[in-house]
Amino acid sequence: MKSIILFILILISGLSFGQNQNIIEPERIENAVHKNHINKIVFLNKAISLENIKESDLIKIMTFQEDKDFDIRVFLDNSLVNYLHQLDPDLSADELLKKEIINLISLLTEN
């Protein structure tokens, strides 16, 4: 019985140390709109700073027109760098961001 308990404790200990740690400390989530929409993508009629976003600013339906503004906001529960670090733990924060910016640019310029 003792050997089974010891095995379970070692297994749990090994699994907890094997998880990826954050490479940077994420910002605290203090904005109410951010808290209500964690891990969601929201749409706005115009660019609004995070401190000034209200629930009434979020839109559900949009008609795209050349003369209208449009903004997309992604509310994550962790830093983007920390998510990228999980994908490639060997790179530094700067290297992760540079790599992903290059990937984004190539995605946007593909024909």
Side-chain angles (χ1 to χ4, degrees):
M1 183 66 171
K2 288 182 182 180
S3 61
I4 293 173
I5 293 174
L6 181 62
F7 174 77
I8 291 173
L9 288 175
I10 291 171
L11 180 66
I12 291 172
S13 174
L15 290 176
S16 66
F17 290 118
Q19 295 182 7
N20 290 332
Q21 300 296 319
N22 287 337
I23 193 170
I24 63 169
E25 185 66 30
E27 293 181 21
R28 293 187 59 196
I29 299 170
E30 297 176 347
N31 183 288
V33 175
H34 189 162
K35 286 180 184 179
N36 293 339
H37 298 281
I38 286 188
N39 295 325
K40 293 182 182 175
I41 299 171
V42 297
F43 303 95
L44 305 145
N45 281 329
K46 60 185 175 189
I48 303 172
S49 66
L50 179 61
E51 299 82 31
N52 296 327
I53 291 180
K54 301 179 293 258
E55 287 287 337
S56 60
D57 295 324
L58 306 180
I59 57 174
K60 304 257 188 254
I61 298 173
M62 172 89 178
T63 303
F64 293 103
Q65 297 176 349
E66 287 185 36
D67 61 339
K68 284 197 168 188
D69 290 333
F70 179 65
D71 190 40
I72 299 172
R73 181 70 58 124
V74 180
F75 292 116
L76 300 174
D77 62 348
N78 200 345
S79 166
L80 178 61
V81 172
N82 290 329
Y83 284 122
L84 294 172
H85 179 66
Q86 292 175 6
L87 297 174
D88 199 345
D90 297 331
L91 296 179
S92 70
D94 286 338
E95 292 170 324
L96 287 166
L97 288 175
K98 285 177 187 174
K99 180 180 174 183
E100 290 310 310
I101 288 171
I102 291 169
N103 287 342
L104 181 60
I105 290 171
S106 67
L107 237 171
L108 292 173
T109 58
E110 280 183 1
N111 290 326

